[in-house]
Amino acid sequence: MSSTSGASERSIGFAYTIGAFLLWGVSPVFWKLLDTVPPLEILGHRVVWCALLMAIYLVIRRGRVMGGGLRGRRRAFIMLLGSTLLIATNWYLFILSVVTDRLLQASLGYYVNPLISVVLGMVFLGERMRRLQALSVAVAVVGVAVLTARLGHLPWLSVGLALSFGFYGLLRKTVPASPEEGLTLETWLLLPAALALLVPTHLQGGGAFGTSWSMSLLLVAAGLWTAVPLLWFTHGARRLPLATVGVLQYLAPTGQFLLGVLVYREPFDSAQLVAFVLIWIALAIFTVDARRARPT
């Protein structure tokens, strides 16, 4: 690959990756438009329309929906089933945090997620934790403890989002399927449960879909808001070093944090400020360590 084509690939990678994280960062603006719909119902529509869109995408791109990577591999299928339950939990908790005005807890969860991944790698994959990594995790734990003391209870939305996405990433490392195929399989595995929720609700006249054109279009668009940033991230991450992607990922929780504080005016006192500053310090240490450990 020539230096010119390499630079072009990196530029494309930056565009895709930054676009993905920016979309994730501003996604609360979209989910707020659905705050009159119960979170479980939103989740059901998110699954249905994302499953349809991903199937269409794969047919157009590859001429088929699935490859044969999981055929006859029971363990891989079980791992994918586990990742399916985890991503559904993560989606639900994020929607819940947005529509119940707890966006700051959501952003904290996604800030902490890279540190959770380090701990999971050490516990389940036998990876060694470097000193600066251990320090960053310790500082983050102090930050969560400060927030816990302020709230009077563990910030369960933050912890739930971080753990569900952390374990999701851990399981997906073991599944021989591309991100596009993985998301398609996950949404199709969730599809029966989503339809079991939505169809009776609609038949009983309690569903939001069909009540107005605007609401119906928003619910269909939930599939786009799920699929598009993931596809952009997939195409971008393939063209960039992992360390670069690791730094860019903080755009998403930063966007969520700024929306929570500046736009939606969620309560933000000095104790919360201390907690977030500690988390940011932990992430700064983590990022410095990642850059130092990157092969030259």
Side-chain angles (χ1 to χ4, degrees), residues 278-296:
L278 287 169
I279 297 297
W280 293 331
I281 291 172
L283 291 175
I285 297 170
F286 178 82
T287 303
V288 168
D289 175 77
R291 293 184 68 85
R292 286 175 55 181
R294 183 176 59 185
T296 57

Side-chain angles (χ1 to χ4, degrees), residues 112-176:
V112 171
N113 179 69
L115 307 179
I116 292 290
S117 296
V118 170
V119 175
L120 294 178
M122 180 185 68
V123 174
F124 293 100
L125 301 179
E127 298 176 355
R128 296 188 62 182
M129 186 182 293
R130 297 184 293 272
R131 289 183 180 180
L132 285 181
Q133 287 180 325
L135 177 60
S136 66
V137 171
V139 174
V141 168
V142 174
V144 173
V146 169
L147 189 58
T148 300
R150 185 268 180 196
L151 294 173
H153 58 80
L154 195 68
W156 65 271
L157 271 174
S158 302
V159 174
L161 284 165
L163 288 177
S164 60
F165 203 71
F167 275 103
Y168 172 76
L170 179 68
L171 289 184
R172 285 291 278 114
K173 284 173 69 73
T174 69
V175 178

Side-chain angles (χ1 to χ4, degrees), residues 25-255:
V26 302
S27 66
V29 176
F30 172 78
W31 300 114
K32 281 281 188 183
L33 298 174
L34 294 167
D35 60 3
T36 59
V37 182
L40 269 179
E41 190 175 342
I42 298 173
L43 177 62
H45 280 283
R46 186 174 188 177
V47 168
V48 168
W49 301 113
C50 184
L52 180 61
L53 287 169
M54 289 304 299
I56 293 172
Y57 171 82
L58 286 178
V59 168
I60 292 174
R61 186 173 176 83
R62 303 182 182 182
R64 66 185 190 279
V65 177
M66 288 291 124
L70 297 181
R71 191 170 300 160
R73 305 184 67 169
R74 185 179 175 209
R75 183 178 180 277
F77 179 79
I78 292 173
M79 292 295 103
L80 186 69
L81 186 60
S83 72
T84 298
L85 296 175
L86 286 165
I87 198 61
T89 300
N90 185 267
W91 287 350
Y92 174 75
L93 291 177
F94 184 70
I95 294 168
L96 182 65
S97 68
V98 174
V99 301
T100 58
D101 300 321
R102 288 179 282 182
L103 187 52
L104 291 179
Q105 284 199 41
S107 70
L108 179 66
Y110 286 117
Y111 273 130
V112 171
N113 179 69
L115 307 179
I116 292 290
S117 296
V118 170
V119 175
L120 294 178
M122 180 185 68
V123 174
F124 293 100
L125 301 179
E127 298 176 355
R128 296 188 62 182
M129 186 182 293
R130 297 184 293 272
R131 289 183 180 180
L132 285 181
Q133 287 180 325
L135 177 60
S136 66
V137 171
V139 174
V141 168
V142 174
V144 173
V146 169
L147 189 58
T148 300
R150 185 268 180 196
L151 294 173
H153 58 80
L154 195 68
W156 65 271
L157 271 174
S158 302
V159 174
L161 284 165
L163 288 177
S164 60
F165 203 71
F167 275 103
Y168 172 76
L170 179 68
L171 289 184
R172 285 291 278 114
K173 284 173 69 73
T174 69
V175 178
S178 70
E180 298 101 324
E181 288 184 341
L183 178 63
T184 306
L185 284 166
E186 286 161 354
T187 51
W188 278 87
L189 285 172
L190 289 169
L191 192 57
L195 292 174
L197 168 71
L198 295 176
V199 172
T201 302
H202 181 73
L203 291 177
Q204 294 166 11
F209 189 81
T211 56
S212 68
W213 277 106
S214 59
M215 181 58 69
S216 299
L217 288 173
L218 284 172
L219 289 170
V220 173
L224 281 172
W225 274 99
T226 301
V228 169
L230 181 77
L231 293 174
W232 285 2
F233 172 77
T234 300
H235 290 295
R238 290 173 179 170
R239 295 173 166 89
L240 294 177
L242 187 60
T244 302
V245 176
V247 174
L248 292 176
Q249 72 179 319
Y250 301 134
L251 287 172
T254 299

